[in-house]
Amino acid sequence: MSSVYNFSAGPAVLPKAVLQQVQQELVDWHNSGMSVMEMSHRGKEFMGIAAEAEADLRSLMGIPSNYKVLFLQGGASSQFAMVPMNLLGGKAGADYLNTGEWSKKAIKEAKRFASVNVVASSEDKNFSYAPGQDAWKLDSNAAYVHYTPNETIGGVEIFWTPETGNVPLVADMSSNILSRPMDVSKYGLIYAGAQKNIGPAGLTIVIVREDLIGQTVAGTPTMFDYKTHAENESMYNTPPTFAMYVAGLVFKWIGAQGGLAAMEKINREKAGLLYDALDGTDFYNSPVAKENRSLMNVPFTLKDAALDEAFLKGAKERGLLQLKGHRSVGGMRASIYNAMPRAGVQALVDYMKEFEKKNG
Ligand SMILES: *Cc1c(COP(=O)(O)O)cnc(C)c1O
């Protein structure tokens, strides 16, 4: 097999060691005679896998005991609706920060259920930065405050935790969960689709403070009520068993790297390599404000967009894949999640320098 580096924004690269373990255990998991894919979700073996995955995630993130961890389906996009359905709690409105494409989608969906107060927006500068908290116009009567700490498409990350007083803070951490330590106790609810930094697509993780559960809007379907899943250990119906198993192996892998503080150190090194390369020349450009440069998703443009195709073609020849930027931003985007090795970023930087030399 040829070796490649996959810079896809999601589904994204997984640790090679995890994939190899999955391969070894695929047909016969721990002498059970069957694959995890074939196991009853209520059987002893799978219940053990699920419990261990949850315990490992709790320990990695330091999740306090008054929070539930839910293993759901439907993607982060379903949470755009489930959050207002579950957290409005009789209030009319919720606060949203607008920092890009994913914020916009969350806002659009919330408007079906609530009056949305946009506390601040960076649309004026094509979502190239995140407004500081001093610019937010919070409503003290809001049911919750929602923000997107890492905009996967724009590559805009917020490294500080907003202060929202008694109003619960809700975060879509789909693309930066587990990339660095976060103080879960500062949040009412955190959600993330798995396919960026956790595991295979099909699993969505929700971490929710217990007192926020159980006040859904009238008519909420059973499956969309956090209480249903919280009361049944995410086993009310069939959860995404195989994705949970792989996620569990990824949690163990992160633990073996030294946990989230170690991940942050490695992630800062990797992102630093790339941003230094972008800053060292005017052949390439990072469109994002320095203080908001994402550690996970690095969009960049070539000074001459006419060279984009040639850049991508040469990258592909070197096994540097999925670097084409999102259509709303253009140019390139390198997603460098936890599982992207430092050598992958180095290979990209080496190629960028070589390409500039030839075409600059
Ligand atoms: C990918 C992504 C989503 C959408 O996730 P799905 O699981 O595909 O619904 C939402 N928010 C952010 C920040 C993302 O990166």
Side-chain angles (χ1 to χ4, degrees):
M1 194 184 72
S2 65
S3 95
V4 303
Y5 292 112
N6 172 13
F7 294 92
S8 169
V13 59
L14 286 165
K16 188 121 294 166
V18 166
L19 293 176
Q20 281 160 349
Q21 186 174 348
V22 169
Q23 182 180 43
Q24 287 206 328
E25 299 177 343
L26 189 70
V27 176
D28 178 7
W29 184 83
H30 294 202
N31 289 322
S32 64
M34 57 177 95
S35 173
V36 175
M37 274 183 269
E38 304 170 295
M39 289 175 183
S40 164
H41 58 295
R42 303 192 194 283
K44 188 166 78 50
E45 281 104 345
F46 186 76
M47 297 280 274
I49 290 171
E52 201 166 328
E54 177 174 340
D56 286 340
L57 180 64
R58 282 186 177 276
S59 132
L60 279 176
M61 292 185 75
I63 300 174
S65 58
N66 63 325
Y67 285 68
K68 291 282 188 191
V69 177
L70 311 178
F71 294 92
L72 308 180
Q73 306 191 42
S77 301
S78 293
Q79 294 310 311
F80 296 165
M82 280 179 77
V83 165
M85 285 170 123
N86 283 270
L87 298 195
L88 275 173
K91 296 208 170 172
D95 280 351
Y96 278 74
L97 177 71
N98 185 12
T99 49
E101 301 303 322
W102 291 115
S103 297
K104 281 205 299 198
K105 287 202 165 148
I107 289 168
K108 187 168 174 224
E109 191 69 5
K111 281 183 175 166
R112 297 162 62 94
F113 305 93
S115 91
V116 169
N117 170 42
V118 175
V119 298
S121 167
S122 54
E123 197 156 15
D124 58 333
K125 289 191 182 153
N126 198 26
F127 297 122
S128 60
Y129 74 104
Q133 171 126 26
D134 51 353
W136 296 24
K137 297 208 162 54
L138 291 168
D139 172 3
S140 58
N141 228 347
Y144 59 87
V145 182
H146 179 284
Y147 81 123
T148 312
N150 188 61
E151 284 282 358
T152 320
I153 293 172
V156 171
E157 184 160 4
I158 298 173
F159 293 97
W160 40 275
T161 310
E163 286 297 339
T164 56
N166 290 327
V167 181
L169 180 61
V170 176
D172 174 0
M173 287 195 191
S174 292
S175 52
N176 70 345
I177 191 167
L178 302 176
S179 65
R180 53 188 169 87
M182 319 254 184
D183 184 352
V184 175
S185 73
K186 294 257 161 65
Y187 293 85
L189 187 147
I190 291 167
Y191 63 92
Q195 69 273 22
K196 280 123 189 184
N197 224 6
I198 295 175
L203 166 67
T204 311
I205 288 183
V206 172
I207 301 163
V208 54
R209 216 175 63 211
E210 277 167 356
D211 62 287
L212 298 174
I213 297 173
Q215 20 179 349
T216 48
V217 297
T220 298
T222 308
M223 278 295 290
F224 298 163
D225 188 341
Y226 293 135
K227 191 163 171 232
T228 303
H229 304 286
E231 283 182 344
N232 291 282
E233 308 288 324
S234 303
M235 302 269 181
Y236 172 77
N237 72 324
T238 317
T241 51
F242 192 73
M244 287 166 71
Y245 152 71
V246 181
L249 298 182
V250 171
F251 300 153
K252 290 223 182 290
W253 177 83
I254 294 173
Q257 311 305 301
L260 297 191
M263 282 323 313
E264 172 168 18
K265 188 163 173 282
I266 303 166
N267 286 330
R268 285 197 181 276
E269 266 174 43
K270 289 187 308 188
L273 270 178
L274 194 42
Y275 286 115
D276 283 350
L278 295 172
D279 288 342
T281 166
D282 60 6
F283 186 80
Y284 299 105
N285 178 53
S286 156
V288 179
K290 282 215 163 106
E291 67 275 20
N292 294 121
R293 286 174 165 186
S294 170
L295 298 182
M296 297 284 102
N297 310 96
V298 183
F300 62 94
T301 53
L302 274 60
K303 194 168 68 180
D304 179 2
L307 290 172
D308 284 5
E309 283 306 315
F311 180 90
L312 288 166
K313 186 165 171 282
K316 199 169 168 199
E317 283 163 12
R318 283 159 185 77
L320 308 171
L321 305 183
Q322 303 284 338
L323 283 164
K324 194 175 163 61
H326 190 270
R327 57 191 182 280
S328 67
V329 180
M332 313 297 151
R333 175 175 48 167
S335 294
I336 51 173
Y337 297 114
N338 284 349
M340 170 60 64
R342 193 181 193 282
V345 181
Q346 189 60 57
L348 173 59
V349 166
D350 292 346
Y351 168 62
M352 287 165 67
K353 295 204 164 131
E354 182 193 318
F355 186 83
E356 178 181 355
K357 220 179 234 165
K358 242 197 239 154
N359 299 278

